[in-house]
């Protein structure tokens, strides 16, 4: 590569000796067009054959339908705007979605609301797939420089957005790059759908393989089991104790990165979905004396932040006071982990509307649960553990593809 040419770090072989990339302004090649919302009180406009999208539905790369549909009458009366399949869509005004800067590609003709902008290509100079990938590469700059922050709503400053300066190679190279990232996006979308399908399958089984509250028999059961499940208080099935935290928690004397004992925080639970296989922060000898240290796996329950989330530690762990620990259990640990996953939304009855749930050990101890024989518990455990392993593997594959895409975005654009 010649030093005076603007070229990316990574380039397809056939373009190694091609000209450098040209700088252009986004508004030279595209126009942004927004949609509108038909009158909600006019029944002639709704529940028709045309998908109508709101900003909350611009999340995944490819989209074929929204929550709502409109009629041809709504289009005839110019109450909204139809965009053709393949037209890139961005959210121009919203809450969290603008901060993520998602770009969706409709696979069918759709109508859009006023908070969505369609990228209409004014000439044949720019490849659509190339521009979509390049905008993703520039997401950080767009969010830091072009998004206007409000108290509850954020918006993209459209005049600044269309002045965005980008670099383009000649059309054939654009198309090759665009097709490459389009293929990656399709792979990511496929993995995302597989993951969502497996999660939905698990949710359906959780609802059917545990009895509804107040009942003794589940809707779905393994062959050979007929006895009613027995009701117990959780506090009669284990010694339920609270974790403990050294104070003040910011004092560095409680921590030592060379320690073998990890420190379980709420953030670890969300990052690892309740199955704790590693802990970044480590407890010093002093810190260990101020908490409860678990040297083998235990079932825990989060009672702060991610309230009601079941947790199992598979490493030596000091337990924060935002967790309850089930000591000396009389149940299969994996069975109870899955029951707590199923029951998690029910803890909301202990919170006021609009406020955080306030769980404590007494509430958890008093909670009634129906459980089967240990043999049936173990079969249920094995079934759900396999589903969880599938979810974990699919999530890893999805994360791997996303990381690969980010690496290529950084190397294949100027």
């Amino acid at each position: 590569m010649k030093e005076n040419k603007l070229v990316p770090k990574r380039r397809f072989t056939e373009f190694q000796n091609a000209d450098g990339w040209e700088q252009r302004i986004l508004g030279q090649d595209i126009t942004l067009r927004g949609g509108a919302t038909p009158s909600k009180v006019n029944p002639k406009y709704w529940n028709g054959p045309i998908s109508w999208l709101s900003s909350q539905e611009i999340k995944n790369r490819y989209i074929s339908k929204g929550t709502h549909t409109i009629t041809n009458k709504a289009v005839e009366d110019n109450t909204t705007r139809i965009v053709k399949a393949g037209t890139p869509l961005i959210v121009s005004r919203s809450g969290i979605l603008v901060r993520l800067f998602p770009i969706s590609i409709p696979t069918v003709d759709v109508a859009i609301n006023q908070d969505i902008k369609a990228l209409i290509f004014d000439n044949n100079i720019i490849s659509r797939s190339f521009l979509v990938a390049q905008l993703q590469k520039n997401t950080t700059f767009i969010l830091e420089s072009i998004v206007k922050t409000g108290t509850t709503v954020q918006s993209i400053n459209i005049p600044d957005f269309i002045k965005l300066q980008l670099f383009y190679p000649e059309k054939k190279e654009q198309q090759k790059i665009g097709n490459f990232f389009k293929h990656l996006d399709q792979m990511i979308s496929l993995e995302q759908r597989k993951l969502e399908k497996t999660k939905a399958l698990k949710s359906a089984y959780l609802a059917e393989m545990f009895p509804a509250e107040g009942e003794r028999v589940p809707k779905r059961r393994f062959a050979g089991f007929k006895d009613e499940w027995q009701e117990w208080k959780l506090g009669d099935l284990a010694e339920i104790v609270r974790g403990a935290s050294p104070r003040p928690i910011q004092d560095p004397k409680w921590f030592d990165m060379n320690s073998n004992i990890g420190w379980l925080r709420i953030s670890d639970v969300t990052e690892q979905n309740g199955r704790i296989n590693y802990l970044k922060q480590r407890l010093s000898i002093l810190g260990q004396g101020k908490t409860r240290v678990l040297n083998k796996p235990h079932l825990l329950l989060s009672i702060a932040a991610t309230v009601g989330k079941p947790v199992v530690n598979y490493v030596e762990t000091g337990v924060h006071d935002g967790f309850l620990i089930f000591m000396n259990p009389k149940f299969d640990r994996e069975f109870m982990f899955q029951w707590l996953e199923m029951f998690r939304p029910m803890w909301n009855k202990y919170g006021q509307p609009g406020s955080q749930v306030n769980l404590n050990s007494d509430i958890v101890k008093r909670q009634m649960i129906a459980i089967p024989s240990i043999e049936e518990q173990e079969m249920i455990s094995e079934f759900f553990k396999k589903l969880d392993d599938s979810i974990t593997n699919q999530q890893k594959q999805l994360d791997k593809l996303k990381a690969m895409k980010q690496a290529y975005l950084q190397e294949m654009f100027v």
Side-chain angles (χ1 to χ4, degrees):
M1 294 181 185
K2 295 180 181 179
E3 290 185 3
N4 62 343
K5 290 200 303 184
L6 283 169
V7 294
K9 291 181 181 179
R10 185 186 291 266
R11 208 171 187 187
F12 290 106
T13 304
E14 60 266 42
F15 302 108
Q16 290 289 342
N17 297 316
D19 292 339
W21 290 26
E22 173 191 357
Q23 186 178 50
R24 295 178 66 86
I25 295 173
L26 184 61
Q28 290 179 255
D29 305 300
I30 68 163
T31 301
L32 297 181
R33 293 181 187 168
T37 301
S39 172
K40 294 289 183 70
V41 298
N42 191 336
K44 293 181 180 179
Y45 291 160
W46 296 94
N47 301 315
I50 303 168
S51 288
W52 178 86
L53 305 178
S54 66
S55 58
Q56 287 73 26
E57 293 163 319
I58 307 301
K59 297 176 183 177
N60 297 323
R61 172 63 67 245
Y62 298 101
I63 185 169
S64 59
K65 61 181 180 179
T67 305
H68 302 286
T69 59
I70 60 170
T71 62
N72 288 310
K73 178 66 174 172
V75 179
E76 292 168 5
D77 290 354
N78 294 317
T79 64
T80 187
R81 186 186 296 275
I82 296 291
V83 295
K84 296 292 185 182
T87 303
L89 304 175
I90 65 171
V91 178
S92 60
R93 183 179 182 275
S94 185
I96 189 171
L97 288 176
V98 170
R99 295 199 294 274
L100 300 174
F101 192 66
I103 305 174
S104 287
I105 311 294
T107 57
V108 296
D109 292 357
V110 296
I112 58 175
N113 81 350
Q114 61 277 6
D115 293 330
I116 300 172
K117 291 291 186 288
L119 277 60
I120 307 299
F121 287 71
D122 298 331
N123 54 50
N124 196 36
I125 296 174
I126 306 302
S127 159
R128 291 187 183 187
S129 296
F130 174 85
L131 180 60
V132 168
Q134 192 176 50
L135 288 175
Q136 288 180 281
K137 190 264 180 183
N138 285 277
T139 293
T140 300
F141 174 79
I142 292 170
L143 295 180
E144 291 178 351
S145 305
I146 299 176
V147 171
K148 295 189 297 184
T149 302
T151 53
T152 58
V153 174
Q154 292 189 326
S155 61
I156 291 177
N157 188 324
I158 299 301
D160 286 346
F161 183 66
I162 62 174
K163 292 177 185 176
L164 190 64
Q165 295 183 349
L166 302 172
F167 293 90
Y168 302 87
E170 59 95 19
K171 189 68 176 289
K172 287 185 178 179
E173 188 172 2
Q174 287 183 42
Q175 290 171 334
K176 182 105 178 190
I177 294 170
N179 288 336
F180 174 80
F181 282 101
K182 182 178 180 180
H183 178 63
L184 263 181
D185 281 340
Q186 289 170 340
M187 292 173 63
I188 288 170
S189 295
L190 178 61
E191 284 300 322
Q192 186 72 54
R193 287 196 296 271
K194 285 167 60 178
L195 177 61
E196 290 170 356
K197 184 176 180 180
T198 306
K199 286 182 175 179
L201 183 66
K202 180 184 175 182
S203 294
Y205 277 127
L206 282 173
E208 293 189 351
M209 294 182 69
F210 292 98
E213 195 167 12
E215 297 184 3
R216 298 288 191 87
V217 178
K219 292 180 180 178
R220 185 184 293 266
R221 208 168 185 186
F222 290 108
F225 297 103
K226 298 180 179 179
D227 294 340
E228 285 190 347
W229 292 23
Q230 299 300 307
E231 276 203 322
W232 294 78
K233 289 181 180 178
L234 277 175
D236 293 333
L237 292 172
E239 179 188 354
I240 300 175
V241 298
R242 189 170 182 174
S245 299
R247 293 285 188 263
I249 196 64
Q250 297 83 6
D251 195 325
K253 70 182 179 184
W254 308 128
F255 305 102
D256 177 4
M257 290 307 297
N258 295 316
S259 170
N260 293 325
I261 307 299
W263 175 235
L264 178 62
R265 299 166 296 172
I266 299 299
S267 59
D268 297 306
V269 174
T270 53
E271 289 174 7
Q272 300 179 60
N273 197 27
R275 297 189 184 274
I276 308 302
N277 291 288
Y278 62 90
L279 292 167
K280 298 175 184 176
Q281 201 162 9
R282 322 297 295 178
L283 283 173
S284 67
I285 297 296
L286 282 175
Q288 293 170 39
K290 297 291 184 177
T291 187
R292 293 183 185 271
V293 175
L294 303 179
N295 295 308
K296 59 182 181 179
H298 280 74
L299 177 67
L300 300 91
L301 185 68
S302 171
I303 58 172
T306 53
V307 176
K309 176 68 177 174
V311 178
V312 176
N313 66 299
Y314 298 99
V315 292
E316 293 181 298
T317 303
V319 182
H320 186 284
D321 59 11
F323 297 91
L324 299 179
I325 309 167
F326 292 77
M327 309 289 288
N328 304 314
K330 300 174 184 176
F331 50 73
D332 179 83
R333 185 180 67 234
E334 184 65 27
F335 170 87
M336 190 60 72
F337 179 93
Q338 300 296 345
W339 183 87
L340 288 168
E341 280 277 16
M342 179 276 301
F343 191 79
R344 185 179 177 188
M346 302 300 292
W347 296 119
N348 289 328
K349 61 188 175 184
Y350 296 108
Q352 297 299 318
S355 65
Q356 184 171 305
V357 179
N358 184 23
L359 277 186
N360 59 50
S361 59
D362 289 335
I363 290 174
V364 175
K365 288 175 184 178
R366 291 195 299 265
Q367 178 58 48
M368 299 300 296
I369 174 178
I371 63 173
S373 66
I374 193 67
E375 291 80 13
E376 190 170 1
Q377 289 181 44
E378 289 172 348
M379 287 194 71
I380 293 170
S381 297
E382 183 180 1
F383 175 81
F384 280 109
K385 187 62 168 63
K386 287 180 179 179
L387 271 178
D388 278 353
D389 288 344
S390 294
I391 290 171
T392 298
N393 291 334
Q394 289 168 3
Q395 185 66 61
K396 286 180 179 178
Q397 179 63 18
L398 180 61
D399 292 343
K400 182 179 178 181
L401 285 171
K402 288 181 176 180
M404 182 190 303
K405 178 183 173 181
Q406 287 302 313
Y408 280 128
L409 283 173
Q410 296 307 310
E411 294 187 352
M412 293 181 69
F413 289 91
V414 171

